[in-house]
Amino acid sequence: MSILFIQYPKCTTCRKAKAWLDENGVNYTDKHIVEETPSKEKLKQYLDASGLPLKKFFNTSGMKYRELQLKDRLADMSEDEQLELLASDGMLIKRPIVTDGKKVTLGFKESDFEQTWK
């Protein structure tokens, strides 16, 4: 199984997720979320595969999210506009994103990783 691990190296959550993957012998390809921000089309694929609401893809604890006052603005934006915004800046995206093309996990919850990637 080929897994893509999209992360920000300085992110503590990403480091925990990476450690879990390593400890459990899961092979993955590493991508830097800011240097190689997923396209709008890729984000749409991840959204559809995850079954999660689009709001979950936003890094709501990030400075950029607060600077842009997205908490108040997202409700008035279309899905297309939100995806466009996410694709414009990797720091707006919740991380890590882990996917094998069919399944997607966002962030790091050990129980989710156990269920999905073991």
Side-chain angles (χ1 to χ4, degrees):
M1 160 167 57
S2 175
I3 290 181
L4 181 58
F5 180 69
I6 306 168
Q7 52 108 20
Y8 185 65
K10 293 178 183 164
C11 165
T12 311
T13 306
C14 293
R15 282 190 246 161
K16 286 179 190 167
K18 190 175 201 163
W20 187 94
L21 292 171
D22 291 340
E23 286 164 17
N24 287 278
V26 178
N27 292 326
Y28 56 88
T29 304
D30 210 321
K31 268 199 174 174
H32 192 296
I33 201 161
V34 176
E35 293 170 2
E36 298 179 75
T37 304
S39 68
K40 180 178 158 187
E41 293 73 22
K42 275 285 175 211
L43 288 165
K44 176 71 172 132
Q45 287 173 8
Y46 300 153
L47 173 67
D48 292 344
S50 74
L52 295 168
L54 182 53
K55 184 177 184 342
K56 294 278 189 200
F57 276 76
F58 282 87
N59 177 12
T60 55
S61 59
M63 287 189 327
K64 196 77 166 185
Y65 183 87
R66 289 193 295 267
E67 271 174 31
L68 297 172
Q69 299 172 331
L70 292 176
K71 182 179 165 202
D72 305 320
R73 294 179 43 214
L74 284 182
D76 299 328
M77 296 171 78
S78 69
E79 178 180 282
D80 202 51
E81 290 169 324
Q82 290 182 43
L83 287 167
E84 192 80 43
L85 184 60
L86 285 169
S88 74
D89 189 337
M91 293 305 276
L92 286 172
I93 303 171
K94 179 152 179 97
R95 52 191 184 256
I97 298 174
V98 184
T99 183
D100 64 0
K102 295 178 193 77
K103 300 177 298 242
V104 173
T105 55
L106 265 187
F108 176 65
K109 250 199 210 148
E110 193 165 344
S111 58
D112 290 349
F113 270 50
E114 288 279 338
Q115 205 175 352
T116 312
W117 306 121
K118 211 158 191 191

